[in-house]
Amino acid sequence: MITAGALVTSNDAGLSVPDWPTSFGYLIKVPHLVGGVRYEWSHRIVAGTLVSLTLAIAIWTLLVERRRWLRWLAIGAFGTVIAQATLGGLTVLLFQPPWISTAHATVAQTFFCIAVAIALFTGRRWVEEQPRVEFDQRRPSLFTLTLLSIFVLYVQLILGGMFRHHGMSWWPHVLHAVIVAFVLTWTAIRALSVYSNIDAVRRPAIVMLSLLITQLCLGFTAFLTRVAWGRSAVQPELPMVVSTVAHVAVGALLLATTVVLAIQVWRHVPVAFEERVPHAQRDASTA
C-alpha cells in the first residue's frame, strides 16, 4: 500500500479519480485504466484489500489471543487503517491539502509499524523463547536512543510528506536528514558495540544501519532527479518516479525496523534504575 501510494504521488495522479468512496460513480466497476487512473484506482484496491485483511486479523485475534494488550493492539491496527483510509478520501474530497496528504502518509506508516509489531508479538520465537536480559546502566540508555530514533524518523517523515505534497520547501527535509543519520548511527553503534551478543538486538541494529545507508543514497538520488534535474520537467520522468518510490518504501522499512529494535531493547536490555537511599536512612542502618 505504501508503494502504491508513493506511485500515486510520484506520478502526480492524486486526483485522477475525482470522487470518493466511489470511483467515477461506481463502487465495484473497473474504470478505464489510462494515465494516472491506473495508479490511483490500483491504490484504492490495495487499500480496500488491506482493510479486509486487517479486519480479519482483528477478529481472529479477539477470538484466539489470550493476551489482552495484544487484542487491543489488533483493534488499534484496524482503527488506524480506517483512519488512514478516511484521510485518503479527504485528500480527494478537499483537493489534496498538504497537511491532510502528509497525515495520510504518516498514518499509513504508523499502521505498517503496528502490523510489524503484531507479527513480532505473535511469532513463535517471541512466544516460546526465554529472553536473555542485560541491564543497561549507561546514560542515555539504549532504549532512550531507540525512542529518539523513532521520533526523528517521524519528524523526517512529516517534513518529507510536506515537501512531496508541495506544502514546504526541500531544505528542512534535507537538513533534518543529517540529524536522522547522526541519531540512528549513534543508536546502531551503541547496540552493536555493547550488546552484540544478544541476537534479538544485534540483527535489527544491523538491518537499521544498512537501511539507513541505503536510504541516504536513495534520498540523494531522489533529490537529484526531482529537485536538481527535474525541476522543469513537464511530467514526472521514470528516474524521478523510481528513486522517489524506492526512497519512500525504504523509509517505511527503516521506521519499522527501528520500532522492532526498540521493542527488542525494551525486552532484552531494560534500564537499570539505581536505588537511591536517603543519607539519614543510610546512616541509621550503619549505626
Side-chain angles (χ1 to χ4, degrees), residues 19-263:
D19 53 336
W20 184 87
T22 57
S23 298
F24 298 105
Y26 297 94
L27 285 174
I28 301 177
K29 184 178 179 180
V30 180
H32 296 291
L33 300 179
V34 295
V37 176
R38 69 168 68 94
Y39 300 110
E40 172 64 15
W41 190 80
S42 299
H43 177 50
R44 295 188 182 191
I45 291 299
V46 173
T49 304
L50 183 61
V51 170
S52 301
L53 291 173
T54 309
L55 177 60
I57 290 173
I59 294 174
W60 187 256
T61 304
L62 290 174
L63 291 175
V64 303
E65 180 57 55
R66 295 181 179 180
R67 291 169 287 181
R68 178 179 298 180
W69 59 269
L70 189 53
R71 295 199 297 267
W72 279 108
L73 186 61
I75 294 173
F78 181 69
T80 303
V81 79
I82 292 298
Q84 194 268 344
T86 303
L87 288 170
L90 290 176
T91 61
V92 175
L93 299 177
L94 300 179
F95 302 101
Q96 293 184 306
W99 66 275
I100 291 183
S101 299
T102 301
H104 176 59
T106 304
V107 174
Q109 296 211 22
T110 302
F111 168 78
F112 179 52
C113 291
I114 295 174
V116 170
I118 291 175
L120 176 65
F121 295 142
T122 55
R124 179 174 297 177
R125 175 170 296 179
W126 181 278
V127 174
E128 296 180 355
E129 77 170 355
Q130 184 67 27
R132 178 178 179 178
V133 176
E134 291 189 17
F135 289 98
D136 189 356
Q137 297 180 347
R138 289 171 172 80
R139 298 294 181 269
S141 67
L142 180 57
F143 184 63
T144 299
L145 290 178
T146 58
L147 294 182
L148 180 60
S149 298
I150 294 172
F151 173 75
V152 296
L153 282 172
Y154 261 102
V155 173
Q156 185 72 350
L157 176 60
I158 294 171
L159 294 176
M162 290 296 290
F163 165 59
R164 281 169 55 78
H165 295 98
H166 311 290
M168 183 183 292
S169 178
W170 57 266
W171 67 264
H173 180 59
V174 173
L175 183 62
H176 192 262
V178 178
I179 300 176
V180 172
F182 173 76
V183 173
L184 267 65
T185 301
W186 184 12
T187 304
I189 291 176
R190 169 73 70 80
L192 294 174
S193 61
V194 181
Y195 302 104
S196 60
N197 57 328
I198 303 178
D199 290 342
V201 174
R202 185 184 68 252
R203 286 194 299 266
I206 293 174
V207 174
M208 184 184 74
L209 191 58
S210 301
L211 288 174
L212 173 63
I213 296 172
T214 304
Q215 181 72 340
L216 291 174
C217 294
L218 287 172
F220 180 70
T221 305
F223 177 82
L224 289 179
T225 57
R226 179 170 292 273
V227 178
W229 300 339
R231 186 186 300 272
S232 59
V234 177
Q235 61 182 13
E237 299 174 351
L238 182 60
M240 181 191 304
V241 173
V242 172
S243 61
T244 304
V245 171
H247 184 55
V248 172
V250 173
L253 291 174
L254 179 59
L255 177 60
T257 302
T258 307
V259 170
V260 170
L261 177 61
I263 293 172

